[in-house]
Amino acid sequence: MLTRLTVDAQVPGDAVLDLTEMTNQTIKLGAGLRQDCDTIQVTGAGRLRLSKPNKYWLESSQKRYVPSVEDTVLGVVVDTKPDNFLVDIKGPNLAFLPVLAFEGGTRRNIPKFEIGTLIYARVVKANSIMNPELSCVDATGKAAEFGQLKDGYMFDTSTGLSRMLLSSPTCPVLEALGKKLSFEIAVGLNGRVWVNAPSPKSIGETVLMWMLWHY
Amino acid sequence: MEHDGGGDVVTPGELLGNSLSILAGRGAYADGRSVRASVTGHRRLVPSPPGSSDQRSTVEVVGHKAHGAVPQPGSFVIARVTKVMARMASADIMCVDSKAVKEKFTGMIRQQDVRATEIDKVDMYQSYRPGDIVRALVLSLGDARAYYLSTAKNELGVVSAQSIAGGTLVPISWTEMQCELTGQIEQRKVAKVE
């Protein structure tokens, strides 16, 4: 049974596009969609989104993260190897962060991260069969806020909430919090948020107000 | 259990005959006057070749895995890819020179052995996926864990693969294969099969 492209929520198995009605077009399928002979079916629960001209994907919110390229994530170091740090990013596999993927990184100044260090990084390579690869430099080679996050407090959220916090224009809850308190915040698209404030009391207030709003 | 042309089952040490009337072939040995089996398998008698001075027939013990095909450097193998990583892919060797192996051998295709040109720009994800059947050449015995395999020739590479939709992939060029169910194109290092 075909459903039209609406704002209704989709569930796995819904056929959302009929390819026989869309001949001579190229469409790009993003996350959560697969082709089943002549129809496009949904493989998760969420909303179908279209980005003109031809990209379709499923926007869903889970506690688990599926790595995709160019996402900025918050990871926790779990092990060190000669060439890579092994970082947990709440995905199906551990991610590799090369020891040289830092600004001005050479064999002589490899950062010493202990187990449990929080890192803000971006995903460079991600596919279904290999471990994802991260980097702490942006595309031009500059550090650009990537790297270790010291002090502060980190907590888990769903991926949908992370996306909402990062949406533009600025999310209303962040604006409201910013008027009352001063803090810095880092949001990972993998469902992790880090907050830091000048005093522990401020951190507590930030997190408390956050939780009051969220729950 | 396959018989491979043999008769009844014998075990190591079992007496196969007298060395005056029988020669010891593979899987058997002569111990003084008697000929005994050295491996477990099926006993088979091979008559002496016509025109040889020795009229005794040879007894062999066949069916043991030590006599199965073993990959040697320079032999072509058919393997199934099991794991793909950033710098190499692991594969289970299934056939050596069109003979099936009797025990498990592991092969490894390194990034620099996938193809002959631009070997530092090879993306393993666009060359192999787990489950692909590949034709490869054994480079060397490798290390304790795996043989080193290479697909750096036109006739080597992915021979048969399944798409993410579950259909069979049909080769359309040396880097692309197309799913027959959905028409989606996937990248592989394709073997040019004559």
Side-chain angles (χ1 to χ4, degrees), chain A residues 175-183 205 209:
Chain A
E175 279 201 35
L177 279 178
K179 288 193 181 109
K180 293 281 172 90
L181 307 163
S182 87
F183 61 95
E205 280 174 356
M209 290 195 66

Side-chain angles (χ1 to χ4, degrees), chain B residues 53-133:
Chain B
S53 53
D54 197 341
Q55 287 298 312
R56 293 179 292 177
S57 44
T58 310
V59 68
E60 291 180 336
V61 183
V62 296
H64 190 257
K65 66 177 182 184
H67 302 142
V70 174
Q72 297 298 334
S75 50
F76 289 97
V77 298
I78 308 282
R80 178 186 297 121
V81 176
T82 49
K83 215 171 13 166
V84 178
M85 288 169 287
R87 301 255 186 272
M88 54 172 248
S90 289
D92 269 347
I93 296 175
M94 301 190 302
C95 308
V96 178
D97 289 328
S98 64
K99 208 174 163 228
V101 294
K102 289 214 171 74
E103 59 176 328
K104 185 175 157 196
F105 296 108
T106 311
M108 187 162 83
I109 309 169
R110 292 171 301 175
Q111 183 190 2
Q112 61 264 35
D113 298 324
V114 170
R115 57 178 192 221
T117 53
E118 284 188 335
I119 56 178
D120 45 345
K121 293 200 181 67
V122 168
D123 187 354
M124 295 304 290
Y125 183 64
Q126 288 176 349
S127 308
Y128 304 115
R129 303 277 164 93
D132 289 354
I133 309 291

Side-chain angles (χ1 to χ4, degrees), chain A residues 125-212:
Chain A
K125 250 192 249 177
N127 52 52
S128 51
I129 54 178
M130 297 196 287
N131 296 69
E133 195 179 297
L134 306 177
S135 172
C136 278
V137 283
D138 62 11
T140 60
K142 298 281 191 297
E145 314 292 335
F146 294 122
Q148 181 183 4
L149 297 172
K150 298 195 175 108
D151 307 322
Y153 175 70
M154 188 267 291
F155 55 94
D156 284 345
T157 68
S158 62
T159 53
L161 197 53
S162 302
R163 276 199 307 269
M164 196 201 66
L165 285 174
L166 289 170
S167 59
S168 63
T170 317
C171 166
V173 68
L174 285 180
E175 279 201 35
L177 279 178
K179 288 193 181 109
K180 293 281 172 90
L181 307 163
S182 87
F183 61 95
E184 52 174 334
I185 185 170
V187 180
L189 282 164
N190 57 334
R192 279 207 175 118
V193 177
W194 171 85
V195 202
N196 194 12
S199 70
K201 181 160 167 286
S202 308
I203 301 182
E205 280 174 356
T206 313
V207 176
L208 189 59
M209 290 195 66
W210 164 263
M211 286 179 154
L212 285 174

Side-chain angles (χ1 to χ4, degrees), chain A residues 5-182:
Chain A
L5 182 58
T6 66
V7 292
D8 291 335
Q10 314 290 336
V11 290
D14 282 356
V16 290
L17 290 174
D18 189 4
L19 292 176
T20 54
E21 290 172 10
M22 305 168 67
T23 48
N24 287 346
Q25 285 179 35
T26 310
I27 55 173
K28 294 187 191 167
L29 298 182
L33 296 174
R34 62 172 264 269
Q35 179 179 357
D36 190 26
C37 296
D38 273 339
T39 59
I40 303 292
Q41 291 198 347
V42 163
T43 62
R47 292 219 163 94
L48 185 67
R49 301 296 305 275
L50 163 66
S51 162
K52 296 277 169 69
N54 56 3
K55 180 153 187 216
Y56 293 88
W57 76 96
L58 189 73
E59 200 174 68
S60 60
S61 173
Q62 290 128 341
K63 288 193 156 59
R64 198 171 66 95
Y65 169 63
V66 174
S68 93
V69 184
E70 287 313 312
D71 278 358
T72 49
V73 296
L74 252 56
V76 176
V77 176
V78 295
D79 201 0
T80 348
K81 290 273 172 72
D83 280 337
N84 299 310
F85 296 106
L86 298 188
V87 180
D88 165 41
I89 54 173
K90 286 175 73 175
N93 294 326
L94 289 179
F96 291 159
L97 172 58
V99 297
L100 299 175
F102 297 86
E103 184 174 6
T106 61
R107 277 274 149 203
R108 284 163 173 260
N109 55 358
I110 295 176
K112 293 183 179 49
F113 291 146
E114 293 178 356
I115 295 181
T117 311
L118 191 62
I119 309 270
Y120 184 59
R122 69 183 177 102
V123 179
V124 172
K125 250 192 249 177
N127 52 52
S128 51
I129 54 178
M130 297 196 287
N131 296 69
E133 195 179 297
L134 306 177
S135 172
C136 278
V137 283
D138 62 11
T140 60
K142 298 281 191 297
E145 314 292 335
F146 294 122
Q148 181 183 4
L149 297 172
K150 298 195 175 108
D151 307 322
Y153 175 70
M154 188 267 291
F155 55 94
D156 284 345
T157 68
S158 62
T159 53
L161 197 53
S162 302
R163 276 199 307 269
M164 196 201 66
L165 285 174
L166 289 170
S167 59
S168 63
T170 317
C171 166
V173 68
L174 285 180
E175 279 201 35
L177 279 178
K179 288 193 181 109
K180 293 281 172 90
L181 307 163
S182 87

Side-chain angles (χ1 to χ4, degrees), chain B residues 30-71:
Chain B
D31 176 28
R33 279 261 182 84
S34 42
V35 172
R36 295 178 182 273
S38 63
V39 291
T40 310
H42 296 272
R43 182 216 321 250
R44 185 166 72 176
L45 219 52
V46 176
S48 64
S52 73
S53 53
D54 197 341
Q55 287 298 312
R56 293 179 292 177
S57 44
T58 310
V59 68
E60 291 180 336
V61 183
V62 296
H64 190 257
K65 66 177 182 184
H67 302 142
V70 174

